[in-house]
Amino acid sequence: MSNFFEAHKDTLFQAVKTSKSRDYWSAYPEIASGKIYGETAKDDQLAEFEGILGKPFALGQPTNGKWTGAETSPYGKELGVTYEDVDPAELVKASQEAGKSWAKASVEERVGVALEMLDRINKKSFLIANAVMHTSGQAFMMAFQAGGPHAQDRGLEAVAYAYDAMTQTPTEVTWTKPQGKHDPIVLDKKFRVVPRGVALVIGCATFPTWNTYPGMFASFVTGNPVIIKPHPMAILPMAISIQIGREVLKEAGFDPNVLLLAADTTDAPKTKELVTADAVKIIDFTGSNAFGEWVRENAGDALVYTEEAGVNAITIESTDNLRGMASNIAFSLSLYSGQMCTTPQNIFVPRDGIETNDGKKSFEEVADAIKISLDKLLGDPARAAAILGAVQNPATLERIDAAGKLGKVIRSSEPVEGMNGARSATPTLVAVDSKNEEAYMQERFGPISFIIACDDIDDAIARAAGSAKSHGAITAALYSTDEAVIDKAVDAYAWAGAPLSVNLTGNIYVNQSAAYSDFHVTGANPAGNASLTDGAYVANRFRIATVRRQAAMA
Amino acid sequence: MSNFFEAHKDTLFQAVKTSKSRDYWSAYPEIASGKIYGETAKDDQLAEFEGILGKPFALGQPTNGKWTGAETSPYGKELGVTYEDVDPAELVKASQEAGKSWAKASVEERVGVALEMLDRINKKSFLIANAVMHTSGQAFMMAFQAGGPHAQDRGLEAVAYAYDAMTQTPTEVTWTKPQGKHDPIVLDKKFRVVPRGVALVIGCATFPTWNTYPGMFASFVTGNPVIIKPHPMAILPMAISIQIGREVLKEAGFDPNVLLLAADTTDAPKTKELVTADAVKIIDFTGSNAFGEWVRENAGDALVYTEEAGVNAITIESTDNLRGMASNIAFSLSLYSGQMCTTPQNIFVPRDGIETNDGKKSFEEVADAIKISLDKLLGDPARAAAILGAVQNPATLERIDAAGKLGKVIRSSEPVEGMNGARSATPTLVAVDSKNEEAYMQERFGPISFIIACDDIDDAIARAAGSAKSHGAITAALYSTDEAVIDKAVDAYAWAGAPLSVNLTGNIYVNQSAAYSDFHVTGANPAGNASLTDGAYVANRFRIATVRRQAAMA
């Protein structure tokens, strides 16, 4: 067992170190290259993926004998994969039982299992990429990166934070209190990390691994058995991950039920019964504000960590690179058809226009610059498909239609040519006045953005930061050449608890959030109550049991 | 301002270091000696205390023009001190306003203010000792130690943990992501600690400073303005502490309303209105399980850290030092008349007796040994008064009477001779059978203990640890010469989340909890949801706001 820890400890220590330096680093290469992953890995794992389809996917976990699951690909394919069905109460019981020996394992044993699991998951990145692609609708390259190495890095980051937190306290100490002329009082003390209980991780359909690994690994290495409840439309990526985890657990001599899958369907959901189970003591949730609120209110004494949703904003005051700005924004709006929790929705611009390197531009000209950049970016259908991917949920298409009626349509959404059988939609951009809060002051999930005419830059910043504070935001961007304006926005967003990206014009986007460096979600506004990953995300998942023993007196 | 940080940073760094080594250390001497505190300090500060009595104690904080407060000393004295009255909503508003500039202060500025405040509080330890004595009822020496230096150490410990947590993330970094043959992507990132909002600290009557400083300092240094709501019967110790804090804040150029007192009376309480105020984002609570549950359920989205109550147990299997064991237990039951949250209530002993260095002893003989030790310890009224102090709440006397009817009285409680005007009571010890759970399976606060006849040691451990798990426990003790029994109890208490002290026979007691070494409350059973102090206690009181800026490209 401890071989796993030994084998991977340098990776762990580098992750701990980078989480404190917050410079760039990655343990898992994001380049889908045969040189890195093996020349036949891509084809082999595609074949493996296809071999999984249309069959039961057995994990060997407790079951009521039935099979469940009804995933369909946003690219049009029936997946036909089914999973062991089980009553939530039985699942919780099996989890509790498996947790007993897991609780007694050493920190190094548990962390070693997690590191080996991540390593094996990494080697299956092409398999998982196919599973992520055909559940979330992400284009293949994004599914590989965001569903593979980037998600693995977020998992490792959680392991690193948890390891660091658990090892702040020594396992034992001799405590010696001087007593003046008398002999000192001496106590031998031992400190043991003890878990909370059964942990539940509720995943989402758009990032089935990236948003699930952090909570799963954080609870897992701190000694809690984990039940993973993926979104009913995106089970397979986690089923594969759990299968790998259960194998490593078995090899290490643990009950594989430390990791359990709770598969369900939209028609017969299991989430509420799991959330309200007494034995569930930790819940990680990714999803809507409405259901997030229900989870927070019905979790009893369980700790709850949420990533919900918000309205992300861009504020434009001025720029010295109009074309760079417009094309950067266009890419941010297009990537995965605006289905990222980090996609900007609202673009606040003074109605009198902005100063640029190309002279003063009116509000309409700014809107047009973004439209032109979108058209250029998405003009070639093959490139458009590779950037946009497919639309995960049919309801998103309805929202796009509805958005067109909320203001002046600058650019309308269209399906992508050649993506036969897939749900596809390019971004729509709608101009509205800042007074029309009904239009833009709520999340309209998908490739839907508003360009909003404001009184002036102060009004724009106040609305952008204000909406983050009141409705939540996971990202924010600002374009300005004026340091005083930047300072003002920095203060406003610190107050609103949203991370701010300033003057991005190059090959880096407001949507991107890098492990070990960017705190994803601040936990300081309604977009979520926790950050992936920081000290608070891990520190309360375990407690410390102390044993004090009077040392033999002289 | 930064001079405060410079002046005290060595103390801070030593506190951080000790919280990780968990060896003995104290920043504030516990010996009430003129050599340390100044030869006239004791008399001067007694005079200062008497000068405070019978008058309004003005902090210069917002007020509705009225005065409130109705403290009386358990030693029989009317204190006659009143405090500025103010409507909770106004208090919250003033706190929010003061919080604005406090949020923008640097970590070092805020920590510097806290360290200077602790240093000045330490210099007033005799004054605070008198205030603690005449509100809690603690004997003078305990009031000095537990209300003075020990409380200050717990405050410093919270500052140290918070400082360590806030400085895990750098204030800025240049993030450089290689791009193969291309230029790297470079972002300048800044990270700022941002507070949650108004913090509320609800204190208790028995340890008005020791239980209030940790939450107060943890919220304070992480940038949150703090409203302190002391128990209506124990306001003065915190009023003095807040007065000192407000002076330091003013000297450092901050709004003194960053620290506000919410004084009230039992007849006109303010707690519920403060708990439910929208702007209150962090609540620290010390008190009963019933009110703790109300706070947890009504706090909305505020973070809640509680120390509630439980039934602490001693389990006796065998001992190689019967007299040492009995006298150690007798002292633990007597200290502050059993009014410590760490006082043992239930003593589980096999009904067939135990093996000792003095041969086999029956259940009755073990009970008798403890009774004899109690009688010896408390035989001299002056010494009894110095150990027992006074009884804080008249309701405790009623509970003592009621306890006598629950089983066979081994030792009855008596008032202490010569403590005229004071409420005093020596410990009562009642023998019951383990089946009489109605008697012992609830907290009976005060100098009330049960010696409980169990089937055997397995039954005893199961009941002791089981009661910790179901009803909460802050401490636990075991006496055994059998390593197998000790191992079993260690596992049982790790599961139950109670710290275990093994074979204490010397001058160290299960009631005692040392800053930087003992985690007070585990947060893992119903005796409280948080520990004083660990990483989880501080990490979520602040969030991090990030600003990413594209670095000038080459």
Side-chain angles (χ1 to χ4, degrees):
Chain A
M1 281 183 288
S2 60
N3 282 349
F4 289 149
F5 187 82
E6 280 299 313
H8 302 294
K9 69 179 184 198
D10 291 345
T11 303
L12 173 71
F13 297 156
Q14 186 61 44
V16 172
K17 200 177 142 194
T18 311
S19 72
K20 291 174 200 257
S21 76
R22 305 204 82 77
D23 196 356
Y24 172 79
W25 179 70
S26 170
Y28 309 107
E30 69 180 4
I31 301 170
S33 154
K35 290 198 190 96
I36 296 166
Y37 285 95
E39 292 301 343
T40 64
K42 190 175 176 180
D43 292 343
D44 292 350
Q45 294 181 30
L46 175 59
E48 193 176 349
F49 171 70
E50 285 173 346
I52 288 171
L53 302 183
K55 296 197 193 86
F57 187 93
L59 288 167
Q61 66 174 40
T63 171
N64 56 19
K66 297 181 204 151
W67 297 86
T68 185
E71 295 156 288
T72 56
S73 168
Y75 290 94
K77 229 176 183 157
E78 276 291 328
L79 299 191
V81 187
T82 55
Y83 308 91
E84 283 129 332
D85 196 9
V86 56
D87 305 325
E90 292 304 311
L91 207 56
V92 170
K93 216 187 284 174
S95 182
Q96 279 188 289
E97 189 57 36
K100 286 180 189 166
S101 59
W102 189 238
K104 288 182 190 163
S106 71
V107 168
E108 286 71 21
E109 282 172 328
R110 291 195 299 251
V111 168
V113 168
L115 295 171
E116 175 68 15
M117 183 176 160
L118 279 163
D119 186 60
R120 294 192 196 179
I121 286 174
N122 175 250
K123 293 187 170 74
K124 290 288 186 187
S125 289
F126 284 104
L127 172 61
I128 289 173
N130 282 289
V132 169
M133 177 179 174
H134 285 289
T135 49
S136 71
Q138 289 175 24
F140 180 78
M141 194 46 65
M142 184 173 176
F144 180 88
Q145 294 192 334
H150 293 177
Q152 294 148 20
D153 269 319
R154 282 289 180 190
L156 175 59
E157 180 185 43
V159 173
Y161 265 97
Y163 176 78
D164 194 47
M166 291 187 286
T167 53
Q168 291 299 304
T169 302
T171 53
E172 50 186 284
V173 68
T174 301
W175 181 84
T176 308
K177 181 176 180 179
Q179 298 292 296
K181 282 166 279 183
H182 302 284
D183 284 345
I185 298 172
V186 183
L187 293 177
D188 291 327
K189 301 189 182 187
K190 290 193 179 179
F191 303 100
R192 189 200 286 193
V193 166
V194 295
R196 287 272 180 190
V198 175
L200 173 66
V201 185
I202 304 166
C204 65
T206 46
F207 289 89
T209 57
W210 200 98
N211 275 94
T212 302
Y213 288 166
M216 177 181 81
F217 280 106
S219 285
F220 183 67
V221 299
T222 50
N224 308 282
V226 186
I227 298 173
I228 291 100
K229 218 311 290 173
H231 191 281
M233 288 293 108
I235 301 169
L236 187 56
M238 285 311 303
I240 295 167
S241 304
I242 292 166
Q243 187 178 51
I244 292 169
R246 290 171 61 90
E247 281 163 12
V248 179
L249 280 164
K250 267 188 272 187
E251 287 176 36
F254 294 103
D255 185 338
N257 290 343
V258 173
L259 289 174
L260 287 167
L261 174 70
D264 64 3
T265 62
T266 313
D267 294 340
K270 297 192 166 86
T271 312
K272 289 189 175 184
E273 198 170 336
L274 289 166
V275 167
T276 54
D278 277 347
V280 170
K281 298 298 184 194
I282 308 176
I283 300 171
D284 285 86
F285 169 81
T286 308
S288 70
N289 301 81
F291 197 53
E293 187 177 353
W294 186 89
V295 171
R296 283 183 274 110
E297 288 179 355
N298 290 277
D301 65 356
L303 303 174
V304 179
Y305 304 88
T306 72
E307 175 178 336
E308 304 177 38
V311 282
N312 304 319
I314 299 174
T315 308
I316 305 178
E317 189 267 342
S318 55
T319 179
D320 59 7
N321 182 355
L322 179 61
R323 187 176 296 189
M325 177 184 86
S327 63
N328 190 281
I329 292 174
F331 190 85
S332 280
L333 303 187
S334 301
L335 189 61
Y336 186 29
S337 306
Q339 297 169 100
M340 300 177 75
C341 55
T342 53
T343 304
Q345 174 180 300
N346 294 337
I347 306 168
F348 292 93
V349 181
R351 74 176 87 250
D352 291 341
I354 66 166
E355 293 294 340
T356 79
N357 55 317
D358 200 21
K360 177 99 184 182
K361 297 290 173 189
S362 70
F363 176 83
E364 289 72 23
E365 285 169 320
V366 175
D368 210 46
I370 298 170
K371 176 202 181 303
I372 291 167
S373 290
L374 283 166
D375 291 345
K376 268 193 203 160
L377 181 70
L378 306 172
D380 170 45
R383 185 162 79 162
I387 293 169
L388 296 165
V391 172
Q392 195 276 324
N393 193 318
T396 300
L397 300 180
E398 293 165 31
R399 264 193 303 270
I400 296 171
D401 284 346
K405 301 180 185 84
L406 297 170
K408 184 184 164 196
V409 177
I410 303 293
R411 184 182 192 283
S412 53
S413 174
E414 304 287 345
V416 179
E417 210 182 293
M419 285 183 72
N420 300 328
R423 276 189 296 273
S424 70
T426 65
T428 186
L429 182 61
V430 179
V432 298
D433 189 88
S434 62
K435 279 159 203 73
N436 186 4
E437 294 195 352
E438 174 61 23
Y440 66 84
M441 270 295 249
Q442 56 180 285
E443 192 203 23
R444 297 187 184 269
F445 187 75
I448 300 162
S449 291
F450 298 94
I451 183 159
I452 301 158
C454 300
D455 293 347
D456 53 29
I457 185 61
D458 284 350
D459 182 44
I461 292 173
R463 287 178 184 276
S467 66
K469 185 80 170 173
S470 61
H471 289 71
I474 293 178
T475 61
L478 172 75
Y479 290 90
S480 176
T481 57
D482 182 339
E483 291 298 326
V485 168
I486 294 172
D487 285 350
K488 197 175 282 185
V490 165
D491 278 351
Y493 275 108
W495 165 79
L500 181 64
S501 294
V502 180
N503 292 335
L504 302 188
T505 55
N507 189 26
I508 183 87
Y509 304 96
V510 67
N511 326 33
Q512 295 173 321
S513 177
Y516 320 109
S517 186
D518 293 319
F519 294 99
H520 181 70
V521 189
T522 62
N525 68 48
N529 74 2
S531 186
L532 316 180
T533 294
D534 63 11
Y537 189 66
V538 299
N540 214 7
R541 293 179 195 251
F542 66 93
R543 304 279 74 218
I544 292 173
T546 305
V547 178
R548 310 190 295 190
R549 218 165 148 165
Q550 190 170 299
M553 295 293 178
Chain B
M1 281 182 290
S2 60
N3 281 348
F4 289 149
F5 186 83
E6 279 301 312
H8 301 296
K9 70 180 185 197
D10 290 347
T11 303
L12 173 71
F13 297 155
Q14 187 61 44
V16 172
K17 200 177 141 192
T18 312
S19 72
K20 292 173 201 256
S21 76
R22 306 204 82 77
D23 196 356
Y24 172 78
W25 178 70
S26 170
Y28 309 107
E30 69 181 4
I31 301 170
S33 152
K35 288 197 191 99
I36 296 166
Y37 285 93
E39 293 301 344
T40 63
K42 189 174 178 182
D43 293 342
D44 292 350
Q45 293 181 30
L46 175 60
E48 193 176 346
F49 170 70
E50 286 174 344
I52 287 170
L53 302 183
K55 296 198 195 83
F57 187 91
L59 288 168
Q61 66 174 41
T63 171
N64 58 18
K66 296 180 204 153
W67 296 86
T68 185
E71 294 155 287
T72 56
S73 170
Y75 290 93
K77 225 177 188 160
E78 277 290 327
L79 299 191
V81 187
T82 54
Y83 309 90
E84 283 128 332
D85 195 9
V86 56
D87 305 325
E90 292 302 311
L91 208 55
V92 171
K93 217 187 284 175
S95 183
Q96 280 189 287
E97 189 56 36
K100 287 180 189 168
S101 59
W102 189 239
K104 289 183 190 164
S106 71
V107 168
E108 287 72 21
E109 282 172 327
R110 290 196 299 251
V111 168
V113 167
L115 294 171
E116 175 68 15
M117 185 176 158
L118 279 163
D119 186 61
R120 294 192 197 178
I121 286 174
N122 175 251
K123 294 189 168 75
K124 291 289 186 185
S125 290
F126 284 104
L127 172 61
I128 289 173
N130 281 289
V132 168
M133 176 180 177
H134 285 288
T135 48
S136 70
Q138 289 174 24
F140 180 79
M141 194 47 64
M142 183 173 178
F144 180 87
Q145 293 193 334
H150 294 176
Q152 294 148 21
D153 268 319
R154 282 288 180 191
L156 176 59
E157 180 184 45
V159 173
Y161 265 97
Y163 176 78
D164 194 46
M166 290 188 286
T167 53
Q168 291 299 304
T169 301
T171 53
E172 50 187 282
V173 68
T174 301
W175 183 84
T176 307
K177 182 175 179 180
Q179 297 293 296
K181 282 166 280 181
H182 302 283
D183 285 345
I185 297 171
V186 183
L187 292 177
D188 290 328
K189 302 190 183 188
K190 291 193 178 177
F191 303 100
R192 192 201 284 191
V193 166
V194 295
R196 286 270 179 192
V198 174
L200 174 67
V201 185
I202 303 165
C204 66
T206 46
F207 290 89
T209 56
W210 200 98
N211 276 93
T212 302
Y213 288 166
M216 177 180 80
F217 280 107
S219 285
F220 182 67
V221 299
T222 49
N224 308 283
V226 186
I227 297 172
I228 291 100
K229 218 311 290 172
H231 191 281
M233 287 295 108
I235 302 169
L236 187 56
M238 284 312 302
I240 294 167
S241 304
I242 292 166
Q243 185 178 53
I244 292 169
R246 291 172 60 90
E247 280 162 13
V248 180
L249 280 165
K250 267 188 272 186
E251 287 176 35
F254 294 103
D255 185 337
N257 289 343
V258 172
L259 289 173
L260 287 167
L261 175 70
D264 63 4
T265 62
T266 313
D267 295 338
K270 296 192 167 86
T271 312
K272 289 190 174 183
E273 198 171 337
L274 289 167
V275 167
T276 53
D278 277 347
V280 169
K281 298 296 184 195
I282 307 175
I283 300 171
D284 285 85
F285 169 81
T286 308
S288 70
N289 301 82
F291 198 52
E293 188 177 354
W294 186 91
V295 170
R296 285 184 273 110
E297 289 180 355
N298 290 275
D301 64 356
L303 302 174
V304 179
Y305 304 88
T306 71
E307 174 176 339
E308 305 177 36
V311 281
N312 305 319
I314 298 174
T315 308
I316 305 178
E317 189 267 343
S318 56
T319 178
D320 58 8
N321 183 355
L322 179 62
R323 186 176 298 190
M325 177 184 84
S327 64
N328 189 282
I329 292 173
F331 190 85
S332 279
L333 303 186
S334 301
L335 188 61
Y336 185 31
S337 306
Q339 297 169 99
M340 300 177 76
C341 55
T342 53
T343 304
Q345 174 181 297
N346 294 337
I347 305 169
F348 292 95
V349 181
R351 73 177 87 251
D352 291 342
I354 66 168
E355 294 293 339
T356 78
N357 54 318
D358 200 20
K360 176 102 183 179
K361 297 290 173 189
S362 70
F363 176 83
E364 289 71 22
E365 285 169 319
V366 175
D368 211 45
I370 297 170
K371 177 203 181 300
I372 290 168
S373 289
L374 282 166
D375 291 345
K376 268 193 202 160
L377 181 69
L378 306 172
D380 170 46
R383 186 162 79 160
I387 293 169
L388 296 165
V391 172
Q392 195 275 325
N393 193 319
T396 299
L397 299 180
E398 293 164 30
R399 265 193 304 270
I400 296 170
D401 283 347
K405 301 178 184 88
L406 298 170
K408 183 182 166 198
V409 176
I410 303 293
R411 184 182 193 282
S412 54
S413 174
E414 303 289 346
V416 179
E417 209 181 293
M419 285 184 72
N420 299 328
R423 277 188 296 272
S424 70
T426 66
T428 184
L429 182 62
V430 179
V432 298
D433 190 88
S434 63
K435 280 159 201 71
N436 186 6
E437 295 196 353
E438 175 61 21
Y440 66 83
M441 269 295 248
Q442 57 180 284
E443 191 201 23
R444 297 188 186 269
F445 187 76
I448 301 162
S449 290
F450 298 94
I451 185 159
I452 302 158
C454 301
D455 294 347
D456 52 29
I457 186 59
D458 284 349
D459 182 44
I461 291 174
R463 287 178 183 276
S467 66
K469 184 81 170 174
S470 61
H471 289 71
I474 293 177
T475 61
L478 171 76
Y479 290 90
S480 176
T481 57
D482 182 341
E483 291 297 326
V485 169
I486 294 173
D487 285 349
K488 197 175 281 188
V490 164
D491 277 352
Y493 275 108
W495 165 79
L500 179 65
S501 295
V502 180
N503 292 335
L504 302 188
T505 55
N507 189 27
I508 184 87
Y509 305 96
V510 66
N511 329 32
Q512 294 173 319
S513 177
Y516 321 109
S517 186
D518 293 320
F519 294 100
H520 179 72
V521 189
T522 62
N525 68 47
N529 73 2
S531 185
L532 314 182
T533 295
D534 63 9
Y537 189 66
V538 299
N540 215 5
R541 294 180 195 250
F542 66 92
R543 304 280 72 215
I544 292 173
T546 306
V547 177
R548 310 191 294 190
R549 221 166 146 164
Q550 191 170 301
M553 295 293 178

